Amino acid sequence: MTYAVGMRLNRGLVFMSDTRTNAGVDNVSTFNKMFNWTVDGDRSITILTAGNLATTQATISLLEERTKAPEDRSPSILEAPTMFQVAQLVAATLNDVIQEHSRSGQQADSAFHATLILGGQIKGGPSRLFLIYPEGNFIEAGADTPFFQIGETKYGRPILVRAYDPEMSFAETVKLLLVSFDSTIKANLSVGAPLDLLLYDEDSLEGGTRSRFEPDDQYFRTISEVWGDALKSALSKLPEYKPERKPSD
């Protein structure tokens, strides 16, 4: 399983993903699930992946191959003129890979499913964020839906819904996401560090700032411990429950 989040802010875009892939409790591996393509001054594109590993790796490999040589850039995410057309290209590539795997495999189509978060900016347009489904369709983030989650989403969602603010700084957003990921990691062993982070400044048209939180990262551990203590403190300050007494017969 995976947990990944793409978020829109007034300042730009924020992406975070875990790196754990497992096929049982005794077969745990680490794989990158965050991919970025940049042409400085022209575009920055980031994809987060969740789902069948063979499907996501094949999809990313196809997209990457099409960026290598000018004569092979049709279609290429480095040539598409808008982020909407990039989303169309990525969605079609994902669906093609799933269909090809299902035709050559022995399992149901759903075994090859994957979901992607796509975000970025191309010169001349604003930054945009999309959620791409395995069927090849997609939706775009907006004011009412400012962030997308893929993978194991339920444990980390409540804090995002309660605390998200488009005016947040990158520093505040990183704290929010680390709390969300910490909650997910504690609830589900199939999600785990290292955690990859990418911060993209609106209109920078550069690759952004990328970093990784290892399992023993001191800042991540501090966030986890302080958040746990804060929850216990907040719980103790809530009004006491006083059961209503029913009148005796």
Side-chain angles (χ1 to χ4, degrees):
M1 187 55 76
T2 297
Y3 182 40
V5 180
M7 183 173 289
R8 282 186 54 188
L9 301 172
N10 291 345
R11 180 173 175 177
L13 300 172
V14 180
F15 304 90
M16 184 175 281
S17 65
D18 85 320
T19 56
R20 178 168 292 182
T21 299
N22 69 300
V25 295
D26 59 346
N27 186 13
V28 177
S29 301
T30 297
F31 285 92
N32 178 38
K33 302 172 188 177
M34 178 185 293
F35 305 88
N36 177 263
W37 295 263
T38 302
V39 178
D40 287 344
D42 181 69
R43 68 190 61 207
S44 178
I45 297 169
T46 299
I47 294 178
L48 307 179
T49 66
N52 180 270
L53 186 61
T55 298
T56 58
Q57 288 189 340
T59 300
I60 296 300
S61 294
L62 277 172
L63 295 172
E64 178 68 22
E65 282 297 313
R66 292 168 183 167
T67 69
K68 296 298 185 182
E71 62 272 15
D72 297 326
R73 285 185 178 177
S74 181
S76 169
I77 58 176
L78 297 186
E79 295 294 312
T82 67
M83 281 302 301
F84 182 82
Q85 291 186 41
V86 172
Q88 289 180 314
L89 194 161
V90 173
T93 303
L94 173 62
N95 186 250
D96 287 346
V97 169
I98 292 173
Q99 294 304 316
E100 180 63 28
H101 283 183
S102 63
R103 284 193 294 269
S104 61
Q106 300 297 317
Q107 302 180 53
D109 290 356
S110 60
F112 305 104
H113 278 192
T115 309
L116 311 178
I117 293 175
L118 164 71
Q121 185 176 20
I122 294 175
K123 186 177 181 179
S127 63
R128 301 174 74 173
L129 186 68
F130 301 90
L131 175 62
I132 299 177
Y133 297 105
E135 292 78 11
N137 54 353
F138 54 87
I139 58 175
E140 183 172 3
D144 294 328
T145 309
F147 61 85
F148 290 131
Q149 302 167 275
I150 54 176
E152 189 58 80
T153 63
K154 56 184 177 290
Y155 303 109
R157 184 172 180 80
I159 182 61
L160 299 182
V161 172
R162 286 178 176 270
Y164 168 84
D165 186 331
E167 296 289 344
M168 295 176 74
S169 67
F170 280 161
E172 292 171 324
T173 306
V174 171
K175 287 192 292 185
L176 174 62
L177 287 175
L178 286 177
V179 169
S180 178
F181 273 76
D182 181 60
S183 300
T184 305
I185 290 170
K186 281 183 166 54
N188 193 315
L189 292 176
S190 68
V191 177
L195 307 177
D196 287 325
L197 169 71
L198 190 145
L199 308 173
Y200 173 76
D201 276 295
E202 187 77 11
D203 295 328
S204 66
L205 297 175
E206 296 178 348
T209 303
R210 185 161 180 171
S211 54
R212 170 170 281 196
F213 296 92
E214 299 290 345
D216 59 350
D217 183 89
Q218 187 56 52
Y219 180 68
F220 182 34
R221 293 176 62 181
T222 299
I223 289 291
S224 176
E225 294 169 1
V226 173
W227 176 248
D229 292 340
L231 281 177
K232 294 175 184 177
S233 176
L235 183 63
S236 68
K237 295 177 182 178
L238 293 175
E240 290 292 329
Y241 169 66
K242 297 179 180 179
E244 295 183 5
R245 291 187 177 182
K246 295 182 179 180
S248 57
D249 295 335

